[in-house]
Amino acid sequence: MADINFSSPQQASESRTADARQTPARDGTLRWDIIELLFFAYRDFVGDADHELEAFGFGRAHHRVLHFVYRYPGLKVADLLDVLRITKQSLGRVLKQLLDEGYIVQKTGNNDRRQRLLYATAKGEALVAKLATLQTKRIDRALEEIGPAGADTVRRFLRAMIDRDDPDKVLETIFSTATVKE
């Protein structure tokens, strides 16, 4: 005979929630603490920039495109697609807006006229600097809490979180000693 549950829907829901929190993972302990800290840290880290971008009618995709175009002048559109892991259509919409509004310029390659190389304009550089300043302030506040040696630990942790098999040109550049805009 089946057990009959006389609890209210709310009690049943609370019980399922409690069970979900207490049920150990089948393959070991899950790092809920770090997972949730990463979610909230990311939310607030990008939120600072999101608020600023709203005034321009831009979103996170615009921010990412501007960031990488500024940091890696002459970045090929094809490489930007690989770095951002977005479709040509998604990039096209964002890139068109940034080009039309004068935040980025596109030039043809010297050796290959089919190449489209991207550069931030002075207007684009100013917006990137403003966004990076907001994010740097948040990073600096967090690093103050963990001390000077903490920055290297954070950097090593974040690098370890990135797939090392990742073929992205920008990640290769970041991990190498190549010069980028500071």
Side-chain angles (χ1 to χ4, degrees), residues 12-13 26 31 49 60 77 79 85-86 94 97 104 114 130 132 143 147 150 156 162 165 180:
S13 175
R26 291 179 199 176
R31 294 306 311 253
R60 289 182 186 167
V77 171
D79 290 338
R85 293 184 180 169
I86 60 175
V94 169
Q97 189 177 6
I104 290 177
R114 295 170 297 172
K130 189 174 201 175
L143 290 175
R156 284 194 328 267
I162 299 170
D165 301 345
V180 295

Side-chain angles (χ1 to χ4, degrees), residues 5-17:
N5 185 351
F6 292 104
S7 61
S8 70
Q10 181 179 357
Q11 287 171 324
S13 175
E14 289 170 0
S15 176
R16 282 191 303 271
T17 302

Side-chain angles (χ1 to χ4, degrees), residues 24 30 63 73 76 92 94 143:
L30 297 178
H63 185 189
K76 292 182 263 182
V94 169
L143 290 175

